[in-house]
Each structure stands twice: as structure tokens, then as C-alpha cells.
């Protein structure tokens, strides 16, 4: 009886399916397993990501600093101008480092000229301030469009190499090697899309922040011109 039980157990062990060991692959290994071409494209995408993040935070802090305006700034300027103390108004503007103060100072320096000339001077100064605020922001827009295209280029290169291996092996290439080349190539597309999305979101956020500062400058310009139009 014991003999038959042992024989059945041995037969079941022979018929059991072999245990398949699960193959794991870290993200770092996956990024580096795409060959020289894939590694070059991944490196380029990492550089673009670093540039996009640096520009975003540098411009964000600059725009936040430019948007800080003292609530009593225009009332102090108004009191100084109406009292005829132009030098005090200029000094108050020079002590404040933001676009609104610089626009106001430009208008104060033109007091005595026709209102049209004062308005033109303020508009020209406003264009310069907007240019300073938007410095390097266009690079984010470029990265948001270029990064996915670079990722697609890596995928195309990976597919070309995979089919080249299939063609040179006379159709005898192992499916495992082909699949590995294909999913490795797809990592460049994923990386490119991630970089592009980050740059796109950062660009639009900076545009919204810049528009708020521009609105502040336009409001200040209107208030200053209204001040000059007030009866003495």
C-alpha cells in the first residue's frame, strides 16, 4: 500500500508544471536597457526635464516677487503728486522693486508733458516689464512640444532595431528578445510624454501668473492717468 502511494506521489511530481520564476525589472534598469540610442534619448529627456523644472521655479519666484504691491502705494503716490512733492513720489517708486513702481516712476518723470506722451511712455515701459516677466518662458512651450516628439523618435528607433533583428534572423528570432526591444523602446515615449506634460502645465501656470501681473500694471497705469486728470 505504501509503495503505491509513493509511486502516485512521484508520478504527480513529474506531471506538475515547472514553477515559473517571475522576472522583475527596476525602472532604472528599464531606462538603461534600450541600447545606446535609447540611452542617449533618455539622457536628452532628463536634460530637458531639468531645464523645464529650473525655468519654472525661477520664473515662478520672479513673478511672485513682481506681483507683491503695497496696498497703500498708489495712495501715497497720489498724496505726493497732488501736494506737488514730485521728488518724494519718485523716491517712493525707486524704493519699491516691482513693475508697478517702475511704470509709475516712468509716468511721474513725464509729468508736465501731454497726457498722450505720458501714456506712450508708460506703455513702452510696460512692454519692457512684460518682456522681463516672460523671459525664458517660451522655452517651456518648446520643451512641451519637443519632448514627446523626441520620445516618439526613440520608439521608432527601437521598433526599427527590433524588426531589423527579425529580418536578419530569417524569421527565427525569439519572441522574447523582440518583445523586450519593443517595450524598452516604448519607455522613451513614456518619458517624453511625462516631460512634455510637466513642461506644458508649468508653462500655462506661468502664463496665468504673468497675466495677473500685467493686469496690475494696466490698473496702475489707468489710476495714474486718472490722477493726472483730476482737477487741481
Amino acid at each position: 500500500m505504501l509503495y503505491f502511494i509513493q509511486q502516485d506521489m512521484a508520478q504527480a511530481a513529474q506531471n506538475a508544471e515547472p514553477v515559473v520564476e517571475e522576472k522583475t525589472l527596476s525602472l532604472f534598469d528599464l531606462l538603461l536597457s534600450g541600447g545606446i540610442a535609447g540611452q542617449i534619448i533618455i539622457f536628452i529627456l532628463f536634460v530637458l526635464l531639468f531645464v523645464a523644472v529650473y525655468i519654472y521655479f525661477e520664473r515662478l519666484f520672479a513673478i511672485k516677487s513682481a506681483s507683491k504691491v503695497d496696498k497703500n502705494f498708489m495712495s501715497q503716490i497720489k498724496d505726493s503728486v497732488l501736494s506737488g512733492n514730485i521728488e518724494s513720489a519718485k523716491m517712493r517708486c525707486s524704493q519699491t522693486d516691482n513693475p508697478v513702481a517702475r511704470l509709475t516712476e516712468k509716468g511721474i518723470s513725464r509729468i508736465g508733458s501731454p497726457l498722450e506722451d505720458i501714456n506712450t511712455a508708460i506703455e513702452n515701459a510696460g512692454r519692457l516689464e512684460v518682456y522681463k516677466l516672460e523671459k525664458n518662458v517660451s522655452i517651456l512651450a518648446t520643451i512641451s512640444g519637443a519632448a514627446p516628439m523626441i520620445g516618439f523618435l526613440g520608439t521608432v528607433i527601437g521598433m526599427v532595431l527590433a524588426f531589423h533583428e527579425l529580418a536578419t534572423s530569417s524569421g527565427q528570432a525569439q519572441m522574447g528578445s523582440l518583445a523586450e526591444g519593443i517595450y524598452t523602446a516604448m519607455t522613451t515615449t513614456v518619458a517624453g510624454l511625462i516631460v512634455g506634460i510637466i513642461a506644458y502645465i508649468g508653462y500655462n501656470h506661468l502664463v496665468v501668473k504673468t497675466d495677473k501681473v500685467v493686469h496690475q500694471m494696466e490698473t496702475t497705469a489707468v489710476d495714474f492717468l486718472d490722477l493726472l486728470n483730476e482737477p487741481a
Side-chain angles (χ1 to χ4, degrees), residues 158-196:
M159 296 294 290
V160 169
L161 294 177
F163 282 107
H164 176 72
E165 180 180 353
L166 180 63
T168 54
S169 62
S170 301
Q172 301 299 320
Q174 296 182 358
M175 293 302 297
S177 61
L178 290 178
E180 183 176 356
I182 292 173
Y183 77 70
T184 301
M186 295 298 290
T187 58
T188 59
T189 298
V190 174
L193 289 174
I194 292 175
V195 175

Side-chain angles (χ1 to χ4, degrees), residues 5-222:
I5 294 176
Q6 292 177 346
Q7 189 175 16
D8 292 340
M9 292 178 61
Q11 185 68 26
Q14 292 178 358
N15 296 333
E17 296 183 356
V19 178
V20 178
E21 185 177 352
E22 184 178 357
K23 183 179 180 181
T24 60
L25 187 63
S26 66
L27 177 62
F28 182 76
D29 294 335
L30 181 62
L31 294 176
L32 297 181
S33 60
I36 298 299
Q39 293 175 9
I40 291 175
I41 291 177
I42 292 295
F43 175 76
I44 293 174
L45 291 174
F46 269 113
V47 171
L48 293 179
L49 177 62
F50 174 79
V51 172
V53 172
Y54 172 79
I55 292 176
Y56 171 74
F57 283 105
E58 189 272 333
R59 286 292 86 199
L60 180 63
F61 293 144
I63 294 172
K64 281 187 175 181
S65 178
S67 63
K68 294 179 180 179
V69 180
D70 187 1
K71 295 181 179 179
N72 299 322
F73 175 76
M74 283 307 298
S75 62
Q76 293 173 356
I77 296 298
K78 180 179 180 179
D79 294 339
S80 298
V81 172
L82 292 179
S83 62
N85 196 351
I86 304 301
E87 293 300 325
S88 176
K90 288 183 179 179
M91 184 177 298
R92 180 70 177 88
C93 292
S94 62
Q95 293 174 349
T96 305
D97 185 18
N98 58 48
V100 170
R102 287 189 285 271
L103 258 66
T104 305
E105 184 177 10
K106 179 64 68 174
I108 293 174
S109 65
R110 294 292 191 276
I111 290 180
S113 302
L115 285 178
E116 184 177 351
D117 294 342
I118 297 176
N119 187 30
T120 301
I122 293 177
E123 288 180 353
N124 292 334
R127 292 191 188 96
L128 293 176
E129 294 298 332
V130 172
Y131 175 77
K132 292 178 183 178
L133 291 174
E134 294 178 345
K135 180 182 178 183
N136 295 329
V137 174
S138 60
I139 297 178
L140 283 179
T142 302
I143 292 176
S144 67
M149 295 177 66
I150 294 175
F152 292 147
L153 175 62
T155 299
V156 172
I157 292 176
M159 296 294 290
V160 169
L161 294 177
F163 282 107
H164 176 72
E165 180 180 353
L166 180 63
T168 54
S169 62
S170 301
Q172 301 299 320
Q174 296 182 358
M175 293 302 297
S177 61
L178 290 178
E180 183 176 356
I182 292 173
Y183 77 70
T184 301
M186 295 298 290
T187 58
T188 59
T189 298
V190 174
L193 289 174
I194 292 175
V195 175
I197 291 172
I198 292 174
Y200 181 75
I201 294 175
Y203 170 77
N204 283 281
H205 185 242
L206 292 179
V207 168
V208 172
K209 290 289 186 180
T210 303
D211 288 341
K212 290 183 179 180
V213 179
V214 172
H215 177 70
Q216 284 183 343
M217 292 190 293
E218 291 175 348
T219 303
T220 301
V222 172

